[in-house]
Amino acid sequence: MKRNRRISAVAVLALAALVTGTGAGFAATTAPSATPVAMHAFDTAPATATAPTRSFQGTLPAPSGPYAAGEDVIHLTDASRLDPWVPSSGPRQLTVTVVYPAVLGTGAPAPYMTLAEAAGAIQHSKLPASSGVTPKNLSSVTTHAFDGARPQRDKYPLVVLSPASEDPRMTLTSLATDLASHGYVVALVGHTYEDSGETLANGQTPPCAICDDPALDFDSVAASRALDVSFVIDQLTHGNTAWRLAHLIDKHEIGMAGHSLGGAAAAATMIADPRVRAGVNMDGTFHPAPMPGQIDRPLLMLGAAVNHAPGGGDYTVWEQAWAALGGYKKWLTVAGADHFSFADLDLLQEEAGFPTSPLSPERGVVITREYVTAFFDQTLKGIHCPLLDGPSPNNPEVLFQP
């Protein structure tokens, strides 16, 4: 069964009850998964769902590392490639949020997204006014990132993040700020025309061009994202032209993590681009599953137990991928998690007053941050992390497979 074809970042906030099936809402705590992408949930939310009456005020958890998280938003244009979804728009344009280790107490609080991006997310998810979520308060979610903050003086590994299908790049902000606080430069890539809207350099925020295509080939989307990511890596590792602080990046230590379809894109990028030395797939189906010999570098598979433990709907696909991997690898499942436990979405849903997965959203954020950071510490920085050696009494929800 295909699950979660489309849920945008804010659609999740609209749900008081969730249903399953292709074209229906998500219930990743009970439904098997065969597709790593999100779908519109609100369209099929039961009529009995009760919207909150209070105004939504979202706050992401503060980073746990010793550094502050600085933030810059940059706009890149790949002159060598027409946009794959809207060729008439010209060369591929991307908006990227770069989060970096910064000095505490510098910079100004960064918005979660632009007003136009927030309005696009609300419109895309058909979120009613009665939800209490508005463009203003959605864009003002507290991120604990700071625009223009003074950078720490050193070189740091680069980690690229790719979000779920139809989810804008900001849905991985809480992971990005935490990685930055532990000494990483993080690039959140907005895949233009693939989500509710990314504000481009010209100020326009185009809507999704592929979201309503029932015949969408996810292998092609993952491959296109791999091209996006390789281009972003090119731009960030060749001088300071694309980003004023590019000198902070250790171009020899590059990793990538993605949620859902973004996880598939991480694997696709590793196959296509040997510069990506380590990857993380968070609760995503592989599109396609790697073949033996294609990925011989470290890969972490981190997913909801209901989908990726034995008997889960996506277990067979992950088992096939696991057998093909040739490098250091870990397969972890999280009991009680749903598809959105690995991004900001369950936490925002809770803050909007709606039910969430059996795993508390706060635990989902903590687990995701701890294991992804530990994996990159071990594979990019060479720091042994006992957390990856086996089950931890501090994280009883995390099960090691197989």
Side-chain angles (χ1 to χ4, degrees):
M1 179 202 290
K2 289 188 177 182
R3 187 231 352 126
N4 296 348
R5 285 207 53 196
R6 297 184 170 98
I7 290 186
S8 70
V10 187
V12 125
L13 305 177
L15 300 183
L18 308 172
V19 294
T20 64
T22 300
F26 84 84
T29 54
T30 58
S33 167
T35 305
V37 290
M39 62 184 288
H40 278 301
F42 180 73
D43 295 346
T44 52
T48 55
T50 302
T53 56
R54 60 184 176 83
S55 176
F56 166 70
Q57 291 184 323
T59 301
L60 302 180
S64 64
Y67 305 131
E71 178 179 306
D72 285 333
V73 176
I74 62 175
H75 302 280
L76 305 175
T77 300
D78 186 353
S80 69
R81 177 182 173 222
L82 285 178
D83 189 278
W85 315 124
V86 185
S88 61
S89 68
R92 181 68 162 163
Q93 298 182 69
L94 299 172
T95 300
V96 179
T97 299
V98 186
V99 190
Y100 57 92
V103 176
L104 293 167
T106 64
Y112 190 52
M113 53 178 69
T114 67
L115 282 170
E117 288 164 342
I122 292 171
Q123 180 180 9
H124 184 71
S125 60
K126 301 180 175 65
L127 194 64
S130 60
S131 69
V133 181
T134 67
K136 182 177 180 180
N137 60 32
L138 179 59
S139 67
S140 300
V141 166
T142 300
T143 66
H144 301 284
F146 296 89
D147 280 334
R150 189 163 74 249
Q152 295 285 344
R153 294 182 178 180
D154 208 340
K155 283 191 175 291
Y156 304 96
L158 170 67
V159 173
V160 183
L161 298 182
S162 180
S165 176
E166 298 198 23
D167 287 349
R169 68 192 190 280
M170 312 83 178
T171 57
L172 295 176
T173 296
S174 118
L175 175 59
T177 56
D178 200 61
L179 282 167
S181 78
H182 287 277
Y184 292 88
V185 172
V186 185
L188 295 91
V189 180
H191 302 284
T192 311
Y193 295 113
E194 297 180 28
D195 60 43
S196 54
E198 306 281 345
T199 299
L200 303 177
N202 61 8
Q204 296 180 356
T205 308
C208 189
I210 63 175
C211 293
D212 297 321
D213 182 358
L216 189 63
D217 178 3
F218 292 111
D219 288 9
S220 296
V221 181
S224 176
R225 288 191 175 200
L227 293 175
D228 286 348
V229 171
S230 289
F231 172 69
V232 170
I233 292 172
D234 288 343
Q235 295 295 295
L236 291 178
T237 58
H238 292 152
N240 288 8
T241 303
W243 179 46
R244 65 187 180 91
L245 299 176
H247 61 275
L248 297 177
I249 295 172
D250 180 350
K251 63 182 180 181
H252 302 294
E253 301 293 345
I254 299 173
M256 180 177 175
H259 174 226
S260 196
L261 181 59
T269 304
M270 290 185 74
I271 292 171
D273 193 333
R275 293 176 297 179
V276 179
R277 296 190 55 201
V280 180
N281 179 355
M282 298 182 293
D283 211 54
T285 296
F286 290 89
H287 277 286
M291 301 297 291
Q294 287 188 312
I295 299 179
D296 58 1
R297 284 151 286 151
L299 185 70
L300 168 64
M301 295 155 49
L302 175 67
V306 70
N307 300 319
H308 299 111
D314 212 22
Y315 179 79
T316 301
V317 178
W318 273 34
E319 189 176 40
Q320 178 184 351
W322 175 261
L325 298 177
Y328 175 78
K329 57 186 179 180
K330 292 292 176 180
W331 177 351
L332 309 181
T333 59
V334 184
D338 68 18
H339 191 53
F340 299 97
S341 298
F342 306 95
D344 299 344
L345 304 179
D346 272 359
L347 186 63
L348 295 179
Q349 177 181 339
E350 179 184 62
E351 292 174 341
F354 293 113
T356 60
S357 64
L359 179 74
S360 79
E362 293 80 7
R363 283 295 296 154
V365 169
V366 167
I367 288 169
T368 301
R369 286 173 157 189
E370 285 188 356
Y371 282 89
V372 172
T373 300
F375 184 77
F376 285 131
D377 279 353
Q378 186 151 310
T379 58
L380 297 181
K381 293 183 177 180
I383 301 171
H384 175 244
C385 297
L387 189 66
L388 299 174
D389 292 343
S392 165
N394 294 328
N395 297 303
E397 309 93 337
V398 180
L399 306 176
F400 281 66
Q401 310 284 344

